Amino acid sequence: ADLIDKSIQFHRTKNTKLVRIHESGDFFSEAYLNSWIEVALRNPDLKFYCYSKSLELFLNIKLPSNFYMTASYGGKWDYLIDEGFFERYAKVFMY
């Protein structure tokens, strides 16, 4: 959490309002997700958002009010979206 937070503080400007977690990639462990949650708690003036297929990591987690996760279809945990565990979700269509 300290390293992530230091990086954000170094690169942010006075106009920074949003932080997208991952342009590509995903959460790889509960500890890593918890680090991002800690960073969001340290920075209540910023909104953090992400897309994730690692839905199992979010089942028993209470996210801060400034942390927005959109569940992404296309992973092995899609049934959790179908069962209503996540109100925000996205489907990617290739054509």
Side-chain angles (χ1 to χ4, degrees), residues 2 9 20 22 26 28 32 37 48-49 52 71 76-77 84 90:
D2 289 337
Q9 300 315 318
R20 179 172 177 170
H22 307 132
D26 210 337
F28 55 85
Y32 178 63
I37 290 170
F48 294 81
Y49 72 102
S52 182
K76 72 180 201 177
W77 302 95

Side-chain angles (χ1 to χ4, degrees), residues 1 5 10 14 19 28 41 44 46 52 66-67 79 85 93:
D5 193 43
F10 181 79
K14 65 179 179 176
V19 174
F28 55 85
L41 290 169
L46 295 175
S52 182
N66 63 331
F67 191 117
Y79 72 92
F85 284 93
F93 295 92

Side-chain angles (χ1 to χ4, degrees), residues 17-36:
K17 304 285 183 239
L18 292 169
V19 174
R20 179 172 177 170
I21 303 169
H22 307 132
E23 179 182 330
S24 63
D26 210 337
F27 298 94
F28 55 85
S29 71
E30 189 175 341
Y32 178 63
L33 172 57
N34 287 333
S35 293
W36 275 105

Side-chain angles (χ1 to χ4, degrees), residues 65-89:
S65 61
N66 63 331
F67 191 117
Y68 303 90
M69 190 281 280
T70 301
S72 293
Y73 273 99
K76 72 180 201 177
W77 302 95
D78 288 355
Y79 72 92
L80 295 172
I81 302 170
D82 296 333
E83 292 178 6
F85 284 93
F86 302 97
E87 66 180 63
R88 298 168 57 100
Y89 63 87

